[in-house]
Amino acid sequence: MSFQAYLDNIETKTGLTPRRFIELAADRGFGPGTKAAPILEWLKADYDLSRGYGMALVHVITKGPQISAKHVGTDGAHADASDTLWLDGRASNPDYA
């Protein structure tokens, strides 16, 4: 599954965009420099997100939307369209237009 697909599936499950999760995380004091464990615990307790999905949000909460270009433009299961993740919801993502 691509990185973006993880974020899109989280939005489908929770009704919250990745950008909203970043805001909620900041309200809890989570951001750059935060270890994964407390973020994962919060996401599991409040949103029932598994570790795999949680780690996608940990990345955007602690590192922002930039990802490695390793899988960009490839044909594999982990292929992403861009090295910048879309955080404002699948419906507004131009890659899905």
Side-chain angles (χ1 to χ4, degrees):
M1 180 180 315
S2 74
F3 209 132
Q4 188 66 56
Y6 271 105
L7 297 180
D8 293 343
N9 285 336
I10 291 167
E11 180 185 4
T12 299
K13 178 179 171 105
T14 66
L16 302 172
T17 66
R19 183 147 338 264
R20 182 65 182 134
F21 273 106
I22 293 168
E23 294 166 354
L24 293 169
D27 290 345
R28 293 177 161 269
F30 301 150
T34 304
K35 300 283 186 193
I39 298 172
L40 291 171
E41 290 169 8
W42 162 58
L43 294 171
K44 178 65 176 168
D46 289 9
Y47 302 99
D48 196 30
L49 293 179
S50 68
R51 180 176 176 80
Y53 287 98
M55 286 305 293
L57 285 173
V58 166
H59 178 90
V60 297
I61 290 166
T62 62
K63 295 180 172 74
Q66 198 72 32
I67 60 171
S68 167
K70 179 179 180 180
H71 296 292
V72 173
T74 65
D75 291 329
H78 300 291
D80 274 292
S82 170
D83 66 354
T84 304
L85 298 167
W86 188 260
L87 303 180
D88 295 315
R90 183 176 180 165
S92 68
N93 188 337
D95 286 338
Y96 294 114

